[in-house]
Amino acid sequence: MNALDDTAAARTAALVGLARATRGFMPDDEGEALMAAAADAGQAGGGTFVEIGAWCGKSTVYLGAAAEATGAVLFSIDHHRGSEENQPGWDYHEADLVSPEDGRLDTLPHWRRAVAAAGLETRVVGIVGDSATVAAHWGTPLAFCFIDGGHGAEPAWADFNGWSPHVVVGGRLAIHDVFPDPADGGRPPYELWCAALASGEWSEVSECGSLRVLRRVAPPRS
Ligand code: MG
């Protein structure tokens, strides 16, 4: 390794440390696998990455590290009001994220702090809004797309149908919370992954925990 490689490795290690310390649900090994998948997808340079579902910015920092390393830009899409499973009375509710102003979840301030602390504000663009609406107006081909938004059937399929067609041949689609055993978690992400493989448009690249990474091998059928 030369000095430049040393500098890049130190920066990546620092970002991994920040990502690990950022609030969220992604295990460390899956986060690093996600980062590696995006870096792999972006190796041609100058690519566009999208993540759907950012919460407080943990996956954003992992993916931002890959974007920085490859000269890509990450668009991080979230309404920042939490998914169904984050609302009061559900398993993944965190009461301190409720804004006292309006009684609604608001993860955006946490996300902004995480991105700023990581020094990724020139590399990561936050889009605050409904992912399906953004997808319907999106036109930029994607080197990498990460689906980790609402885990119910309706939002999960809307994300898959809205975003996966934008991934270029050779690009990667990553899906989080894929649980083949229903005892481990909800079905929709697993069903997206099965449908993607069955379509013949995708081949499996890697898996780590509940993270699955696919590579587009054929253009979308429209
Ligand atoms: Mg997840």
Side-chain angles (χ1 to χ4, degrees), residues 148 151 176-177:
D148 191 26
H151 290 59
H176 198 222
D177 303 304

Side-chain angles (χ1 to χ4, degrees), residues 25-27 30 53 85 146-149 151 175-178 210:
F25 302 104
M26 180 168 278
E30 295 178 31
E85 59 271 20
F146 177 46
I147 295 181
D148 191 26
H151 290 59
I175 305 173
H176 198 222
D177 303 304
V178 172
S210 72

Side-chain angles (χ1 to χ4, degrees), residues 19-35 51 53-55 57-63 92 144 146-148 151 174-177 208-212:
R20 286 185 176 193
T22 300
R23 186 168 179 162
F25 302 104
M26 180 168 278
D28 294 347
D29 58 343
E30 295 178 31
E32 290 200 47
L34 179 70
M35 181 179 72
E51 74 164 338
W55 193 241
K58 183 187 268 298
S59 55
T60 313
V61 174
Y62 282 117
L63 291 173
Y92 296 96
F144 185 84
F146 177 46
I147 295 181
D148 191 26
H151 290 59
I175 305 173
H176 198 222
D177 303 304
C208 177
S210 72
L211 179 73
R212 297 289 183 282

Side-chain angles (χ1 to χ4, degrees), residues 91-114:
D91 285 351
Y92 296 96
H93 181 61
E94 297 185 353
D96 65 307
L97 294 172
V98 174
S99 166
E101 277 179 27
D102 59 6
R104 301 175 71 192
L105 277 171
D106 185 6
T107 53
L108 181 57
H110 297 263
W111 182 92
R112 293 194 81 176
R113 277 197 289 277

